[in-house]
Amino acid sequence: MVIKNVNLETVCGITSRLPDNKLPEIAFAGKSNVGKSSLINGLMNRKSLARTSSQPGKTQTINYYNINDQLYFVDLPGYGYATANEKVKAQWGKMIEDYLHKSKQIRAVFLLVDIRHAPSENDRIMYDWISDRGYKPIIIATKLDKIKRSQVAKQTKLICDTLGVADDTIVIPYSALSKQGREEIYELLDRILGEENI
């Protein structure tokens, strides 16, 4: 996949109606500070179109990026930010659940998990939400550059075991620094788009 044109087309807040898009959507879910904006920027070859922040919980809207007029990257609110109050957490959860329930164009959901740690309770809840909606989450294990190469297989297994994933689940370790894993994600997107055109 070669990404030439990128446009932040729609931003939905808590009270917004979701757009009735006709193009396929690829959703990105993950807890705050897992590197979601960095991944999306890396895939789009943009430094800061998706807002990154040292302050977790920055994405509080659902952001739709039009990619090549072929598909949308849908950036869902980061969940599990510890200092957000309970009302805000509930609103983020409702936004994500509404999106998974109502959007008719979802073709894949990427669930981002920090490769350094076992998935959190929030990660497990999100995995179950996505699965319960009939989607098979694709796991992106972020922050690959923070561990030794010899630890990758062990940490990947820890993620799979903790989430209880199916045997055929796709898990792609990804580094925002080296962009390792990006080509695999591009190939996956090409496959998804290819299936659209069959």
Side-chain angles (χ1 to χ4, degrees), residues 137-194:
I138 295 160
I139 309 298
I140 307 295
T142 62
K143 304 187 188 280
L144 177 62
D145 44 275
K146 306 278 190 190
I147 65 170
K148 294 178 180 156
R149 189 173 292 180
S150 60
Q151 296 176 291
V152 173
K154 177 183 157 215
Q155 291 306 110
T156 302
K157 183 177 185 303
L158 176 65
I159 289 169
C160 292
D161 290 348
T162 305
L163 293 176
V165 304
D167 289 342
D168 60 346
T169 297
I170 297 169
V171 182
I172 301 175
Y174 177 80
S175 164
L177 285 182
S178 69
K179 304 297 185 286
Q180 186 176 336
R182 183 166 66 174
E183 289 306 315
E184 288 175 76
I185 296 171
Y186 283 157
E187 286 171 17
L188 201 55
L189 294 173
D190 281 335
R191 277 216 306 275
I192 291 164
L193 282 177

Side-chain angles (χ1 to χ4, degrees), residues 84-99:
N85 67 44
E86 292 305 316
K87 183 182 175 190
V88 169
K89 287 181 188 174
Q91 287 172 331
W92 293 346
K94 185 176 185 317
M95 287 172 73
I96 295 168
E97 200 167 17
D98 278 355
Y99 172 76

